[in-house]
Amino acid sequence: TGKDEYGYRLPLLLRAYDDYRPALYVYLVIPFVKLIGLDPLSVRFPSVILSLVSVYLLYCIGKLLSKFSTRLLYLGEVSALTLAISPWHIYISRLGHESNLGFTLTIAGVYALLLFILEKKPWQLVWAAVWLGLSLHGYQSQKLIVPVLLATTVLLYWKECIKEWKKLLIASVVFLIITIPAVYVTLTGSGLSRLKGTSAFSQDAPIFSQAFNNFQIAKKDNDAMGMIINNRKVVIARVFFSNYVSHFSPTWLFMGSNREAHKVPYLGLLYPWEAIGIIVGLVYMLIFNGINIRVLLLILVWGLSGPLPAAITTQAPHAMRAYTLLPVLSLTGGIGVLEVWYLLKKPLAWGRWIIALFILSWSLLQFWNGYFIVFPITQSDSFQYAMKDTMSFVIKANPSYKKIILSNNASLYQSYMFYLFYTRVNPARYQSLGGSISGGYDKSHQIENVEFRAIDWSKEALKADTLYVADVVDAPLHKRVVNIFRNLDGKEAIIAFTL
């Protein structure tokens, strides 16, 4: 229809659940929905394609950097392979989420910048402006990362930029045309709501409340050091630093339990052997000057800017918000792997092949078991797996009841959206009925005779002609069970019942 669920025409930010996320990925999904139909494949397929593009782009960047040394001849291949099998990359790129779009566009922009720098191709400045400009429409994190990247490029290569000032001017105009709308909608009240809702510096956060109390005590006791430590600006700096460095924690990067956000069970975001590659790669680049110093600084800034968005928000470390860090880790790890490979050439000419194949095979077996076997069973509730069967049942049962009331809590979180998805309600018809009233996280919705709302079962007056659908934990004790829906682990998740 050219409008979102609230009736806004061609929005740049989707109100969604009142979190106002960039809309570009949704626009990319539309052709796939048209060709394939509305199902999980069509929603996720663009992200899968983007993941393949990102692997190829990192290969291209690796080939550019390989020109600095014969020992880096296969950097493109090794870096691309590392990214292609990365648990971090596969997990996020298989979600229908906009983070992978921002990730890929940023890699494309960096590749264009390196073509300008290393291949002396000035028109690549314009392409860099296009890709990096579009990345701001791709994912919120890029709105902080891209300005840092561009400022670093100009500072490091200001002479080259002045020499190609005409191309730079064209690139700047293109970048502004693409980004001004994104910046404008972001700085509006609604656009800032996402940052306000996830800010790590909220006055309501316990650390700030405690610091305020400590500051008052220190002030009363005339404790200068206490006042400095508990000063709000100092506390902000402490929170930022703690959040930022948490993304370089070896435990977070290389280890995992059975259930962590955006992680394959029992795996880290990276394989343990990548730690050796990253350390050796950093030593090679920083100490032995294996790469031109300015190029090295640009790549390091690219990597170090990755955790910045996650450092100013809650839930740090955050794999999705710090996703831009991954390609630099893959490149650095690739350099380290090649260096180790070179060092083992004489003592283990053939043995290194056996070691490499064993490590690679073992890593892929671990990933296969964790991602394809353990993950679907242990975390199907996180993806609201039981909702699909629930909605199929609700659709079939609808004619038999005057009204159907669904909770929007726990396993039925945002149940109205699943109903729209699985019933494939015509968007124009939905909008004619009033569309979405409020996204929120616990707001009520109604689609003809089906209601979606928070329910206090102790106060809800059950009616005989109504079907109720609730999370098994919330459902009242006295009811007539019509159906029960389970997650892949066999646990009951959702229950349908009547009076």
Side-chain angles (χ1 to χ4, degrees), residues 125-126 161 164-175:
L125 281 172
V126 179
C161 289
E164 299 293 344
W165 67 270
K166 291 182 180 179
K167 309 296 191 304
L168 180 63
L169 179 61
I170 295 171
S172 300
V173 171
V174 169
F175 184 76

Side-chain angles (χ1 to χ4, degrees), residues 446-458:
Q446 181 160 347
I447 304 171
E448 296 182 323
N449 68 323
V450 185
E451 290 183 16
F452 310 84
R453 57 183 170 86
I455 305 172
D456 183 347
W457 295 107
S458 63

Side-chain angles (χ1 to χ4, degrees), residues 148-208:
V148 172
L149 271 175
L150 291 177
T152 302
T153 303
V154 173
L155 286 173
L156 290 173
Y157 294 94
W158 62 272
K159 289 183 179 179
E160 289 83 350
C161 289
I162 291 175
K163 183 179 179 181
E164 299 293 344
W165 67 270
K166 291 182 180 179
K167 309 296 191 304
L168 180 63
L169 179 61
I170 295 171
S172 300
V173 171
V174 169
F175 184 76
L176 289 173
I177 290 172
I178 295 172
T179 59
I180 283 176
V183 173
Y184 174 76
V185 295
T186 299
L187 295 178
T188 59
S190 57
L192 288 172
S193 64
R194 177 64 173 171
L195 178 60
K196 292 176 182 176
T198 60
S199 173
F201 313 126
S202 170
Q203 292 277 12
D204 300 328
I207 189 172
F208 288 99

Side-chain angles (χ1 to χ4, degrees), residues 19-91:
D19 52 3
Y20 293 91
R21 59 188 63 193
L24 184 56
Y25 183 78
V26 171
Y27 291 121
L28 290 180
V29 168
I30 292 171
F32 293 88
V33 173
K34 178 69 175 177
L35 293 171
I36 301 173
L38 185 59
D39 60 30
L41 176 62
S42 61
V43 174
R44 295 176 177 177
F45 200 47
S47 185
V48 175
I49 293 173
L50 287 165
S51 74
L52 300 177
V53 172
S54 66
V55 170
Y56 174 71
L57 289 170
L58 197 66
Y59 164 79
C60 294
I61 290 175
K63 296 307 286 185
L64 280 177
L65 298 180
S66 68
K67 296 177 181 179
F68 286 111
S69 172
T70 55
R71 291 163 75 154
L72 302 179
L73 181 61
Y74 296 104
L75 179 58
E77 288 83 352
V78 174
S79 300
L81 174 63
T82 303
L83 183 63
I85 65 173
S86 166
W88 195 350
H89 188 234
I90 294 174
Y91 187 111

Side-chain angles (χ1 to χ4, degrees), residues 372-389:
F372 290 105
I373 299 174
V374 179
F375 174 55
I377 295 174
T378 61
Q379 296 191 38
S380 65
D381 59 328
S382 298
F383 291 81
Q384 296 175 266
Y385 178 84
M387 194 76 87
K388 181 179 181 180
D389 290 339

Side-chain angles (χ1 to χ4, degrees), residues 366-409:
Q366 281 188 305
F367 175 81
W368 182 274
N369 180 67
Y371 188 73
F372 290 105
I373 299 174
V374 179
F375 174 55
I377 295 174
T378 61
Q379 296 191 38
S380 65
D381 59 328
S382 298
F383 291 81
Q384 296 175 266
Y385 178 84
M387 194 76 87
K388 181 179 181 180
D389 290 339
T390 301
M391 292 305 165
S392 297
F393 171 77
V394 168
I395 293 165
K396 292 178 182 178
N398 195 329
S400 303
Y401 296 92
K402 183 177 180 180
K403 181 178 287 187
I404 299 178
I405 299 177
L406 290 91
S407 168
N408 58 8
N409 183 47

